[in-house]
Amino acid sequence: MTLSLALLALVPLLPLAAAQSPVWGQCGGIGWTGPTTCAAGSTCTVSNAYYSQCLPSSTAPTTTVTSTQTSTAPSSTPPAAGSGLNTLAKSIGKLYFGTATDNNELSDTAYRAILNNNAMFGQITPANSMKWDATEPSQGVFTFTNGDTIANLAKTNGQLLRGHNCVWYNQLPSWVSGGKFTTAQLTSIIQNHCGTLVGHFKGQTYAWDVVNEPFNDDGSWRADVFYNTLNTQYVTIAFNAARAADPAAKLYINDYNIEQAGAKATAMQNLIRSLKSAGTPIDGVGLQCHFIVGQVPSTLKSNIQTFASLGVEVALTELDIRMTLPSSTTSLNQQKTDYQTVVSACASVSGCIGITLWDFTDKYSWVPNTFSGQGAACPWDSNLVQKPAYSGIAAAL
Ligand code: G3I
């Protein structure tokens, strides 16, 4: 048979193939509106309530249309490197590969084209629009317009959403940070803020960073309005309010400089142990992963394992790897190695469920505004061109 005849013979099968997910593709989960059956040789397997995936199997499910086999890659073949980071991450059993984004970036058409591709990013996090100053600028007055934009974008794109965040010392409106409250007053303020915020997005978020950055680098508690008024109890108050508002959302605590073994990681591990033993509804820990080129901690993988062994999900929530500017071939190659090291560490620990870049392009990175003379921290450059770091990530997946 000539090639053109062979292709013609496949034409009647195409509608059937389109009604199924390919091997490694998504086939179910909350919010999923695509195919729910899998290509021949794979089985729709529930990863969690939000995500079911067509995993290779020796026995195809009864709903599989075996005639599509001719147009499907061999079931044991993983996706090609060009498939997109999220597709690659799912192929090794991760829930998502994602990125932060921000409302003011969405008017950039070229940026949005990459962001919206759910083969590249299966999860997004709003960098600012769900924070306290953005959502409750005056007491009891809630604004969700920008947060809704990001939540709707995730839904349209078929991407998971991480809510960020409920309680944090930073980006607080002055009525909170400068307030003088009794314990009862601040308890009620936290309950109202977390409950209203998480409740507004109920059913739309995979996870929430309920408490963000509670520790100083030496492992002591950060002396913010929450700790100064309520001691450590504010954490439990926030988690309980979030769980009551959306029982299906995974509730995380999130921090930086807990990626390596040391006082701060130990403090976080001790807190997670005590929260779990007290019955506080905590499901996960976020390791932010704001790293410096050439300084990825050597204990990253073992530390991820230590967190996972506490019985919580682990996610790398804000990954970027900055360097001194201007970048050079040497620093960009080292950055590639570093991204590969970080992603490999998550890849090799089953309890590490996903990775989020703290935006994917240098065009919108927070780094140059905070660290003078530093930048180039993302896998795409400021012209939205993939850097060597991109292939480092792909290689790890
Ligand atoms: O919205 C105002 C705008 O009206 C004003 O004209 C402009 C002038 O500076 O500022 C704008 O606000 C900025 C805001 O980002 C939105 O762009 C703030 O100045 C700026 O400080 C703020 O930075 C954010 C930073 O958190 C604040 O701490 C970054 O975008 C955001 O990426 C960053 O994210 C944090 C995570 O939430 C927690 N972990 C660390 C991470 C990096 O700092």
PDB file of all heavy atoms in Angstrom, residues 141-178:
ATOM      1  N   VAL A 141     -14.007  44.458  53.243  1.00  0.00           N
ATOM      2  CA  VAL A 141     -14.301  44.823  51.843  1.00  0.00           C
ATOM      3  C   VAL A 141     -13.424  43.949  50.936  1.00  0.00           C
ATOM      4  O   VAL A 141     -12.210  44.132  50.874  1.00  0.00           O
ATOM      5  CB  VAL A 141     -14.012  46.316  51.579  1.00  0.00           C
ATOM      6  CG1 VAL A 141     -14.291  46.671  50.124  1.00  0.00           C
ATOM      7  CG2 VAL A 141     -14.826  47.191  52.528  1.00  0.00           C
ATOM      8  N   PHE A 142     -14.049  43.004  50.257  1.00  0.00           N
ATOM      9  CA  PHE A 142     -13.294  42.037  49.449  1.00  0.00           C
ATOM     10  C   PHE A 142     -13.386  42.376  47.966  1.00  0.00           C
ATOM     11  O   PHE A 142     -14.461  42.751  47.474  1.00  0.00           O
ATOM     12  CB  PHE A 142     -13.826  40.622  49.694  1.00  0.00           C
ATOM     13  CG  PHE A 142     -13.434  40.074  51.038  1.00  0.00           C
ATOM     14  CD1 PHE A 142     -14.220  40.329  52.160  1.00  0.00           C
ATOM     15  CD2 PHE A 142     -12.274  39.339  51.193  1.00  0.00           C
ATOM     16  CE1 PHE A 142     -13.853  39.844  53.415  1.00  0.00           C
ATOM     17  CE2 PHE A 142     -11.897  38.841  52.443  1.00  0.00           C
ATOM     18  CZ  PHE A 142     -12.690  39.091  53.553  1.00  0.00           C
ATOM     19  N   THR A 143     -12.241  42.265  47.272  1.00  0.00           N
ATOM     20  CA  THR A 143     -12.223  42.452  45.815  1.00  0.00           C
ATOM     21  C   THR A 143     -11.536  41.241  45.188  1.00  0.00           C
ATOM     22  O   THR A 143     -10.390  40.935  45.520  1.00  0.00           O
ATOM     23  CB  THR A 143     -11.449  43.727  45.414  1.00  0.00           C
ATOM     24  OG1 THR A 143     -10.121  43.631  45.928  1.00  0.00           O
ATOM     25  CG2 THR A 143     -12.108  44.980  45.938  1.00  0.00           C
ATOM     26  N   PHE A 144     -12.261  40.578  44.307  1.00  0.00           N
ATOM     27  CA  PHE A 144     -11.725  39.352  43.715  1.00  0.00           C
ATOM     28  C   PHE A 144     -11.557  39.460  42.195  1.00  0.00           C
ATOM     29  O   PHE A 144     -11.315  38.446  41.541  1.00  0.00           O
ATOM     30  CB  PHE A 144     -12.650  38.176  44.045  1.00  0.00           C
ATOM     31  CG  PHE A 144     -12.677  37.838  45.509  1.00  0.00           C
ATOM     32  CD1 PHE A 144     -13.862  37.900  46.234  1.00  0.00           C
ATOM     33  CD2 PHE A 144     -11.515  37.460  46.169  1.00  0.00           C
ATOM     34  CE1 PHE A 144     -13.881  37.582  47.598  1.00  0.00           C
ATOM     35  CE2 PHE A 144     -11.524  37.143  47.524  1.00  0.00           C
ATOM     36  CZ  PHE A 144     -12.711  37.196  48.238  1.00  0.00           C
ATOM     37  N   THR A 145     -11.694  40.658  41.659  1.00  0.00           N
ATOM     38  CA  THR A 145     -11.700  40.785  40.194  1.00  0.00           C
ATOM     39  C   THR A 145     -10.433  40.196  39.566  1.00  0.00           C
ATOM     40  O   THR A 145     -10.508  39.382  38.647  1.00  0.00           O
ATOM     41  CB  THR A 145     -11.823  42.279  39.803  1.00  0.00           C
ATOM     42  OG1 THR A 145     -12.870  42.835  40.594  1.00  0.00           O
ATOM     43  CG2 THR A 145     -12.153  42.438  38.336  1.00  0.00           C
ATOM     44  N   ASN A 146      -9.266  40.615  40.050  1.00  0.00           N
ATOM     45  CA  ASN A 146      -8.024  40.120  39.445  1.00  0.00           C
ATOM     46  C   ASN A 146      -7.802  38.640  39.739  1.00  0.00           C
ATOM     47  O   ASN A 146      -7.326  37.887  38.886  1.00  0.00           O
ATOM     48  CB  ASN A 146      -6.828  40.938  39.937  1.00  0.00           C
ATOM     49  CG  ASN A 146      -6.748  42.282  39.237  1.00  0.00           C
ATOM     50  OD1 ASN A 146      -7.376  42.475  38.200  1.00  0.00           O
ATOM     51  ND2 ASN A 146      -6.004  43.211  39.798  1.00  0.00           N
ATOM     52  N   GLY A 147      -8.150  38.211  40.934  1.00  0.00           N
ATOM     53  CA  GLY A 147      -8.046  36.789  41.262  1.00  0.00           C
ATOM     54  C   GLY A 147      -8.963  35.951  40.383  1.00  0.00           C
ATOM     55  O   GLY A 147      -8.579  34.875  39.905  1.00  0.00           O
ATOM     56  N   ASP A 148     -10.165  36.456  40.158  1.00  0.00           N
ATOM     57  CA  ASP A 148     -11.107  35.738  39.283  1.00  0.00           C
ATOM     58  C   ASP A 148     -10.552  35.597  37.872  1.00  0.00           C
ATOM     59  O   ASP A 148     -10.756  34.570  37.217  1.00  0.00           O
ATOM     60  CB  ASP A 148     -12.452  36.486  39.217  1.00  0.00           C
ATOM     61  CG  ASP A 148     -13.286  36.302  40.481  1.00  0.00           C
ATOM     62  OD1 ASP A 148     -13.028  35.342  41.235  1.00  0.00           O
ATOM     63  OD2 ASP A 148     -14.196  37.122  40.713  1.00  0.00           O
ATOM     64  N   THR A 149      -9.862  36.651  37.403  1.00  0.00           N
ATOM     65  CA  THR A 149      -9.282  36.585  36.049  1.00  0.00           C
ATOM     66  C   THR A 149      -8.312  35.409  35.942  1.00  0.00           C
ATOM     67  O   THR A 149      -8.333  34.648  34.971  1.00  0.00           O
ATOM     68  CB  THR A 149      -8.544  37.913  35.728  1.00  0.00           C
ATOM     69  OG1 THR A 149      -9.504  38.964  35.765  1.00  0.00           O
ATOM     70  CG2 THR A 149      -7.877  37.868  34.368  1.00  0.00           C
ATOM     71  N   ILE A 150      -7.484  35.249  36.966  1.00  0.00           N
ATOM     72  CA  ILE A 150      -6.500  34.145  36.929  1.00  0.00           C
ATOM     73  C   ILE A 150      -7.218  32.794  37.096  1.00  0.00           C
ATOM     74  O   ILE A 150      -6.892  31.824  36.408  1.00  0.00           O
ATOM     75  CB  ILE A 150      -5.439  34.331  38.043  1.00  0.00           C
ATOM     76  CG1 ILE A 150      -4.762  35.705  37.944  1.00  0.00           C
ATOM     77  CG2 ILE A 150      -4.419  33.192  37.999  1.00  0.00           C
ATOM     78  CD1 ILE A 150      -3.887  35.927  36.750  1.00  0.00           C
ATOM     79  N   ALA A 151      -8.193  32.754  37.978  1.00  0.00           N
ATOM     80  CA  ALA A 151      -8.927  31.487  38.181  1.00  0.00           C
ATOM     81  C   ALA A 151      -9.671  31.085  36.903  1.00  0.00           C
ATOM     82  O   ALA A 151      -9.665  29.907  36.520  1.00  0.00           O
ATOM     83  CB  ALA A 151      -9.909  31.635  39.342  1.00  0.00           C
ATOM     84  N   ASN A 152     -10.278  32.064  36.235  1.00  0.00           N
ATOM     85  CA  ASN A 152     -10.991  31.761  34.987  1.00  0.00           C
ATOM     86  C   ASN A 152     -10.026  31.330  33.885  1.00  0.00           C
ATOM     87  O   ASN A 152     -10.342  30.469  33.064  1.00  0.00           O
ATOM     88  CB  ASN A 152     -11.811  32.973  34.522  1.00  0.00           C
ATOM     89  CG  ASN A 152     -12.992  33.213  35.455  1.00  0.00           C
ATOM     90  OD1 ASN A 152     -13.467  32.290  36.114  1.00  0.00           O
ATOM     91  ND2 ASN A 152     -13.460  34.450  35.521  1.00  0.00           N
ATOM     92  N   LEU A 153      -8.846  31.947  33.889  1.00  0.00           N
ATOM     93  CA  LEU A 153      -7.837  31.565  32.893  1.00  0.00           C
ATOM     94  C   LEU A 153      -7.431  30.103  33.086  1.00  0.00           C
ATOM     95  O   LEU A 153      -7.325  29.334  32.118  1.00  0.00           O
ATOM     96  CB  LEU A 153      -6.611  32.478  33.038  1.00  0.00           C
ATOM     97  CG  LEU A 153      -5.532  32.320  31.980  1.00  0.00           C
ATOM     98  CD1 LEU A 153      -6.034  32.801  30.622  1.00  0.00           C
ATOM     99  CD2 LEU A 153      -4.272  33.095  32.376  1.00  0.00           C
ATOM    100  N   ALA A 154      -7.212  29.730  34.346  1.00  0.00           N
ATOM    101  CA  ALA A 154      -6.840  28.338  34.634  1.00  0.00           C
ATOM    102  C   ALA A 154      -7.932  27.386  34.138  1.00  0.00           C
ATOM    103  O   ALA A 154      -7.647  26.354  33.526  1.00  0.00           O
ATOM    104  CB  ALA A 154      -6.601  28.154  36.131  1.00  0.00           C
ATOM    105  N   LYS A 155      -9.165  27.769  34.392  1.00  0.00           N
ATOM    106  CA  LYS A 155     -10.283  26.912  33.988  1.00  0.00           C
ATOM    107  C   LYS A 155     -10.340  26.802  32.460  1.00  0.00           C
ATOM    108  O   LYS A 155     -10.440  25.705  31.909  1.00  0.00           O
ATOM    109  CB  LYS A 155     -11.584  27.510  34.521  1.00  0.00           C
ATOM    110  CG  LYS A 155     -12.777  26.612  34.400  1.00  0.00           C
ATOM    111  CD  LYS A 155     -13.964  27.259  35.090  1.00  0.00           C
ATOM    112  CE  LYS A 155     -15.208  26.415  34.893  1.00  0.00           C
ATOM    113  NZ  LYS A 155     -16.405  27.120  35.315  1.00  0.00           N
ATOM    114  N   THR A 156     -10.243  27.939  31.780  1.00  0.00           N
ATOM    115  CA  THR A 156     -10.287  27.942  30.308  1.00  0.00           C
ATOM    116  C   THR A 156      -9.154  27.095  29.731  1.00  0.00           C
ATOM    117  O   THR A 156      -9.332  26.379  28.751  1.00  0.00           O
ATOM    118  CB  THR A 156     -10.143  29.398  29.793  1.00  0.00           C
ATOM    119  OG1 THR A 156     -11.190  30.170  30.357  1.00  0.00           O
ATOM    120  CG2 THR A 156     -10.225  29.461  28.277  1.00  0.00           C
ATOM    121  N   ASN A 157      -7.994  27.189  30.348  1.00  0.00           N
ATOM    122  CA  ASN A 157      -6.819  26.483  29.823  1.00  0.00           C
ATOM    123  C   ASN A 157      -6.743  25.031  30.274  1.00  0.00           C
ATOM    124  O   ASN A 157      -5.844  24.304  29.848  1.00  0.00           O
ATOM    125  CB  ASN A 157      -5.528  27.184  30.288  1.00  0.00           C
ATOM    126  CG  ASN A 157      -5.357  28.547  29.668  1.00  0.00           C
ATOM    127  OD1 ASN A 157      -5.986  28.864  28.671  1.00  0.00           O
ATOM    128  ND2 ASN A 157      -4.497  29.361  30.264  1.00  0.00           N
ATOM    129  N   GLY A 158      -7.644  24.597  31.163  1.00  0.00           N
ATOM    130  CA  GLY A 158      -7.538  23.240  31.695  1.00  0.00           C
ATOM    131  C   GLY A 158      -6.315  23.084  32.584  1.00  0.00           C
ATOM    132  O   GLY A 158      -5.629  22.061  32.548  1.00  0.00           O
ATOM    133  N   GLN A 159      -6.027  24.129  33.387  1.00  0.00           N
ATOM    134  CA  GLN A 159      -4.855  24.107  34.271  1.00  0.00           C
ATOM    135  C   GLN A 159      -5.300  24.096  35.732  1.00  0.00           C
ATOM    136  O   GLN A 159      -6.336  24.674  36.091  1.00  0.00           O
ATOM    137  CB  GLN A 159      -3.988  25.351  34.013  1.00  0.00           C
ATOM    138  CG  GLN A 159      -3.361  25.362  32.617  1.00  0.00           C
ATOM    139  CD  GLN A 159      -2.873  26.739  32.187  1.00  0.00           C
ATOM    140  OE1 GLN A 159      -3.494  27.756  32.499  1.00  0.00           O
ATOM    141  NE2 GLN A 159      -1.772  26.768  31.443  1.00  0.00           N
ATOM    142  N   LEU A 160      -4.531  23.442  36.572  1.00  0.00           N
ATOM    143  CA  LEU A 160      -4.778  23.496  38.010  1.00  0.00           C
ATOM    144  C   LEU A 160      -4.404  24.895  38.517  1.00  0.00           C
ATOM    145  O   LEU A 160      -3.569  25.576  37.932  1.00  0.00           O
ATOM    146  CB  LEU A 160      -3.938  22.447  38.751  1.00  0.00           C
ATOM    147  CG  LEU A 160      -4.198  20.981  38.373  1.00  0.00           C
ATOM    148  CD1 LEU A 160      -3.202  20.066  39.089  1.00  0.00           C
ATOM    149  CD2 LEU A 160      -5.617  20.573  38.713  1.00  0.00           C
ATOM    150  N   LEU A 161      -5.024  25.259  39.626  1.00  0.00           N
ATOM    151  CA  LEU A 161      -4.773  26.576  40.214  1.00  0.00           C
ATOM    152  C   LEU A 161      -4.261  26.388  41.639  1.00  0.00           C
ATOM    153  O   LEU A 161      -4.844  25.636  42.422  1.00  0.00           O
ATOM    154  CB  LEU A 161      -6.092  27.364  40.218  1.00  0.00           C
ATOM    155  CG  LEU A 161      -6.098  28.760  40.826  1.00  0.00           C
ATOM    156  CD1 LEU A 161      -5.245  29.728  39.994  1.00  0.00           C
ATOM    157  CD2 LEU A 161      -7.539  29.299  40.913  1.00  0.00           C
ATOM    158  N   ARG A 162      -3.151  27.085  41.975  1.00  0.00           N
ATOM    159  CA  ARG A 162      -2.706  27.147  43.374  1.00  0.00           C
ATOM    160  C   ARG A 162      -3.080  28.520  43.905  1.00  0.00           C
ATOM    161  O   ARG A 162      -2.695  29.546  43.314  1.00  0.00           O
ATOM    162  CB  ARG A 162      -1.190  26.937  43.531  1.00  0.00           C
ATOM    163  CG  ARG A 162      -0.685  25.556  43.106  1.00  0.00           C
ATOM    164  CD  ARG A 162       0.760  25.296  43.566  1.00  0.00           C
ATOM    165  NE  ARG A 162       0.827  24.829  44.941  1.00  0.00           N
ATOM    166  CZ  ARG A 162       1.122  25.562  45.994  1.00  0.00           C
ATOM    167  NH1 ARG A 162       1.430  26.835  45.883  1.00  0.00           N
ATOM    168  NH2 ARG A 162       1.136  25.034  47.212  1.00  0.00           N
ATOM    169  N   GLY A 163      -3.783  28.575  45.000  1.00  0.00           N
ATOM    170  CA  GLY A 163      -4.129  29.838  45.635  1.00  0.00           C
ATOM    171  C   GLY A 163      -2.956  30.320  46.466  1.00  0.00           C
ATOM    172  O   GLY A 163      -2.332  29.549  47.196  1.00  0.00           O
ATOM    173  N   HIS A 164      -2.641  31.617  46.364  1.00  0.00           N
ATOM    174  CA  HIS A 164      -1.462  32.180  47.038  1.00  0.00           C
ATOM    175  C   HIS A 164      -1.794  33.597  47.462  1.00  0.00           C
ATOM    176  O   HIS A 164      -1.930  34.437  46.591  1.00  0.00           O
ATOM    177  CB  HIS A 164      -0.279  32.144  46.074  1.00  0.00           C
ATOM    178  CG  HIS A 164       0.983  32.722  46.615  1.00  0.00           C
ATOM    179  ND1 HIS A 164       1.815  32.031  47.468  1.00  0.00           N
ATOM    180  CD2 HIS A 164       1.577  33.922  46.423  1.00  0.00           C
ATOM    181  CE1 HIS A 164       2.861  32.776  47.763  1.00  0.00           C
ATOM    182  NE2 HIS A 164       2.742  33.929  47.147  1.00  0.00           N
ATOM    183  N   ASN A 165      -1.933  33.923  48.707  1.00  0.00           N
ATOM    184  CA  ASN A 165      -1.911  33.079  49.887  1.00  0.00           C
ATOM    185  C   ASN A 165      -2.891  33.668  50.908  1.00  0.00           C
ATOM    186  O   ASN A 165      -3.386  34.779  50.713  1.00  0.00           O
ATOM    187  CB  ASN A 165      -0.480  33.017  50.484  1.00  0.00           C
ATOM    188  CG  ASN A 165       0.105  34.410  50.718  1.00  0.00           C
ATOM    189  OD1 ASN A 165      -0.482  35.231  51.427  1.00  0.00           O
ATOM    190  ND2 ASN A 165       1.236  34.719  50.122  1.00  0.00           N
ATOM    191  N   CYS A 166      -3.125  32.992  52.004  1.00  0.00           N
ATOM    192  CA  CYS A 166      -4.095  33.511  52.998  1.00  0.00           C
ATOM    193  C   CYS A 166      -3.435  34.413  54.043  1.00  0.00           C
ATOM    194  O   CYS A 166      -3.883  35.531  54.283  1.00  0.00           O
ATOM    195  CB  CYS A 166      -4.770  32.355  53.734  1.00  0.00           C
ATOM    196  SG  CYS A 166      -5.729  31.288  52.695  1.00  0.00           S
ATOM    197  N   VAL A 167      -2.402  33.913  54.703  1.00  0.00           N
ATOM    198  CA  VAL A 167      -1.788  34.655  55.823  1.00  0.00           C
ATOM    199  C   VAL A 167      -0.286  34.774  55.585  1.00  0.00           C
ATOM    200  O   VAL A 167       0.420  33.761  55.494  1.00  0.00           O
ATOM    201  CB  VAL A 167      -2.060  33.931  57.164  1.00  0.00           C
ATOM    202  CG1 VAL A 167      -1.314  34.627  58.301  1.00  0.00           C
ATOM    203  CG2 VAL A 167      -3.554  33.887  57.459  1.00  0.00           C
ATOM    204  N   TRP A 168       0.170  36.008  55.462  1.00  0.00           N
ATOM    205  CA  TRP A 168       1.586  36.296  55.190  1.00  0.00           C
ATOM    206  C   TRP A 168       1.905  37.639  55.819  1.00  0.00           C
ATOM    207  O   TRP A 168       1.061  38.530  55.829  1.00  0.00           O
ATOM    208  CB  TRP A 168       1.809  36.335  53.670  1.00  0.00           C
ATOM    209  CG  TRP A 168       3.221  36.488  53.201  1.00  0.00           C
ATOM    210  CD1 TRP A 168       4.354  36.065  53.818  1.00  0.00           C
ATOM    211  CD2 TRP A 168       3.638  37.100  51.968  1.00  0.00           C
ATOM    212  NE1 TRP A 168       5.463  36.365  53.056  1.00  0.00           N
ATOM    213  CE2 TRP A 168       5.042  36.989  51.907  1.00  0.00           C
ATOM    214  CE3 TRP A 168       2.966  37.719  50.906  1.00  0.00           C
ATOM    215  CZ2 TRP A 168       5.792  37.482  50.847  1.00  0.00           C
ATOM    216  CZ3 TRP A 168       3.717  38.206  49.844  1.00  0.00           C
ATOM    217  CH2 TRP A 168       5.114  38.082  49.804  1.00  0.00           C
ATOM    218  N   TYR A 169       3.130  37.801  56.286  1.00  0.00           N
ATOM    219  CA  TYR A 169       3.498  39.068  56.930  1.00  0.00           C
ATOM    220  C   TYR A 169       3.614  40.200  55.914  1.00  0.00           C
ATOM    221  O   TYR A 169       3.519  41.377  56.271  1.00  0.00           O
ATOM    222  CB  TYR A 169       4.837  38.913  57.682  1.00  0.00           C
ATOM    223  CG  TYR A 169       6.041  38.940  56.775  1.00  0.00           C
ATOM    224  CD1 TYR A 169       6.721  40.133  56.515  1.00  0.00           C
ATOM    225  CD2 TYR A 169       6.479  37.781  56.123  1.00  0.00           C
ATOM    226  CE1 TYR A 169       7.806  40.165  55.655  1.00  0.00           C
ATOM    227  CE2 TYR A 169       7.555  37.811  55.267  1.00  0.00           C
ATOM    228  CZ  TYR A 169       8.210  38.992  55.031  1.00  0.00           C
ATOM    229  OH  TYR A 169       9.268  39.031  54.174  1.00  0.00           O
ATOM    230  N   ASN A 170       3.830  39.847  54.626  1.00  0.00           N
ATOM    231  CA  ASN A 170       4.111  40.850  53.610  1.00  0.00           C
ATOM    232  C   ASN A 170       2.864  41.123  52.768  1.00  0.00           C
ATOM    233  O   ASN A 170       1.934  40.323  52.742  1.00  0.00           O
ATOM    234  CB  ASN A 170       5.225  40.318  52.701  1.00  0.00           C
ATOM    235  CG  ASN A 170       5.928  41.423  51.938  1.00  0.00           C
ATOM    236  OD1 ASN A 170       5.566  42.588  52.020  1.00  0.00           O
ATOM    237  ND2 ASN A 170       6.945  41.037  51.178  1.00  0.00           N
ATOM    238  N   GLN A 171       2.876  42.262  52.079  1.00  0.00           N
ATOM    239  CA  GLN A 171       1.727  42.667  51.261  1.00  0.00           C
ATOM    240  C   GLN A 171       0.416  42.585  52.050  1.00  0.00           C
ATOM    241  O   GLN A 171      -0.615  42.123  51.565  1.00  0.00           O
ATOM    242  CB  GLN A 171       1.677  41.858  49.954  1.00  0.00           C
ATOM    243  CG  GLN A 171       2.772  42.329  48.979  1.00  0.00           C
ATOM    244  CD  GLN A 171       2.848  41.505  47.723  1.00  0.00           C
ATOM    245  OE1 GLN A 171       3.337  40.386  47.746  1.00  0.00           O
ATOM    246  NE2 GLN A 171       2.391  42.065  46.610  1.00  0.00           N
ATOM    247  N   LEU A 172       0.539  43.048  53.287  1.00  0.00           N
ATOM    248  CA  LEU A 172      -0.635  43.190  54.157  1.00  0.00           C
ATOM    249  C   LEU A 172      -1.116  44.632  54.083  1.00  0.00           C
ATOM    250  O   LEU A 172      -0.294  45.544  54.088  1.00  0.00           O
ATOM    251  CB  LEU A 172      -0.238  42.925  55.617  1.00  0.00           C
ATOM    252  CG  LEU A 172      -0.176  41.504  56.130  1.00  0.00           C
ATOM    253  CD1 LEU A 172       0.286  41.519  57.587  1.00  0.00           C
ATOM    254  CD2 LEU A 172      -1.508  40.791  55.992  1.00  0.00           C
ATOM    255  N   PRO A 173      -2.409  44.875  54.038  1.00  0.00           N
ATOM    256  CA  PRO A 173      -2.873  46.260  54.146  1.00  0.00           C
ATOM    257  C   PRO A 173      -2.542  46.797  55.541  1.00  0.00           C
ATOM    258  O   PRO A 173      -2.451  46.025  56.513  1.00  0.00           O
ATOM    259  CB  PRO A 173      -4.386  46.153  53.921  1.00  0.00           C
ATOM    260  CG  PRO A 173      -4.742  44.733  54.182  1.00  0.00           C
ATOM    261  CD  PRO A 173      -3.514  43.908  53.941  1.00  0.00           C
ATOM    262  N   SER A 174      -2.382  48.106  55.654  1.00  0.00           N
ATOM    263  CA  SER A 174      -1.937  48.675  56.932  1.00  0.00           C
ATOM    264  C   SER A 174      -2.962  48.465  58.048  1.00  0.00           C
ATOM    265  O   SER A 174      -2.594  48.442  59.222  1.00  0.00           O
ATOM    266  CB  SER A 174      -1.610  50.166  56.767  1.00  0.00           C
ATOM    267  OG  SER A 174      -2.727  50.822  56.223  1.00  0.00           O
ATOM    268  N   TRP A 175      -4.241  48.265  57.684  1.00  0.00           N
ATOM    269  CA  TRP A 175      -5.207  48.052  58.763  1.00  0.00           C
ATOM    270  C   TRP A 175      -4.922  46.735  59.498  1.00  0.00           C
ATOM    271  O   TRP A 175      -5.272  46.600  60.668  1.00  0.00           O
ATOM    272  CB  TRP A 175      -6.659  48.108  58.260  1.00  0.00           C
ATOM    273  CG  TRP A 175      -7.148  46.948  57.422  1.00  0.00           C
ATOM    274  CD1 TRP A 175      -7.157  46.863  56.068  1.00  0.00           C
ATOM    275  CD2 TRP A 175      -7.728  45.723  57.901  1.00  0.00           C
ATOM    276  NE1 TRP A 175      -7.692  45.657  55.659  1.00  0.00           N
ATOM    277  CE2 TRP A 175      -8.054  44.946  56.764  1.00  0.00           C
ATOM    278  CE3 TRP A 175      -8.001  45.189  59.165  1.00  0.00           C
ATOM    279  CZ2 TRP A 175      -8.628  43.677  56.850  1.00  0.00           C
ATOM    280  CZ3 TRP A 175      -8.571  43.926  59.251  1.00  0.00           C
ATOM    281  CH2 TRP A 175      -8.877  43.184  58.104  1.00  0.00           C
ATOM    282  N   VAL A 176      -4.238  45.808  58.798  1.00  0.00           N
ATOM    283  CA  VAL A 176      -3.851  44.557  59.472  1.00  0.00           C
ATOM    284  C   VAL A 176      -2.467  44.714  60.105  1.00  0.00           C
ATOM    285  O   VAL A 176      -2.292  44.494  61.309  1.00  0.00           O
ATOM    286  CB  VAL A 176      -3.830  43.359  58.495  1.00  0.00           C
ATOM    287  CG1 VAL A 176      -3.468  42.068  59.245  1.00  0.00           C
ATOM    288  CG2 VAL A 176      -5.164  43.200  57.789  1.00  0.00           C
ATOM    289  N   SER A 177      -1.463  45.114  59.295  1.00  0.00           N
ATOM    290  CA  SER A 177      -0.087  45.119  59.807  1.00  0.00           C
ATOM    291  C   SER A 177       0.091  46.129  60.940  1.00  0.00           C
ATOM    292  O   SER A 177       0.879  45.904  61.860  1.00  0.00           O
ATOM    293  CB  SER A 177       0.904  45.413  58.682  1.00  0.00           C
ATOM    294  OG  SER A 177       0.564  46.629  58.054  1.00  0.00           O
ATOM    295  N   GLY A 178      -0.655  47.223  60.875  1.00  0.00           N
ATOM    296  CA  GLY A 178      -0.492  48.248  61.906  1.00  0.00           C
ATOM    297  C   GLY A 178      -1.551  48.194  62.991  1.00  0.00           C
ATOM    298  O   GLY A 178      -1.583  49.061  63.875  1.00  0.00           O
TER     299      GLY A 178
END
